[in-house]
Amino acid sequence: MKAIKSVLLTCDSAVKQILLTMNEKQSFIIEDLDDFHVVIKADEEWRVRRDLEAELEKNTYSLE
């Protein structure tokens, strides 16, 4: 078995559902541990965080 560099992400269940949806388009999740933890590929961390931030921004209400 080959070792893979990875990052443990801790999030709430709503964010985890967004991550699972994003993973369908481009696979980056190595292991889905439980309702609050996901292990992702280390080299994908920056892209995942950026894309997640953009997705969360779409769902944010603004008074402007």
Side-chain angles (χ1 to χ4, degrees):
M1 185 169 187
K2 184 178 176 183
I4 301 172
K5 275 184 137 179
S6 61
V7 176
L8 175 67
L9 290 183
T10 303
C11 56
D12 63 16
S13 57
V15 170
K16 184 173 174 209
Q17 289 304 313
I18 295 170
L19 289 171
L20 292 173
T21 302
M22 289 170 48
N23 189 60
E24 292 173 3
K25 296 174 188 159
Q26 187 171 2
S27 182
F28 56 86
I29 293 178
I30 297 171
E31 188 73 32
D32 182 356
L33 300 175
D34 58 27
D35 289 343
F36 304 103
H37 300 93
V38 190
V39 179
I40 67 168
K41 297 174 185 173
D43 57 345
E44 295 285 332
E45 179 186 10
W46 186 83
R47 183 189 62 79
V48 169
R49 288 182 185 272
R50 184 193 64 211
D51 292 351
L52 179 60
E53 184 67 33
E55 192 65 33
L56 290 173
E57 195 64 34
K58 285 190 226 175
N59 296 319
T60 301
Y61 180 75
S62 176
L63 294 174
E64 297 174 7

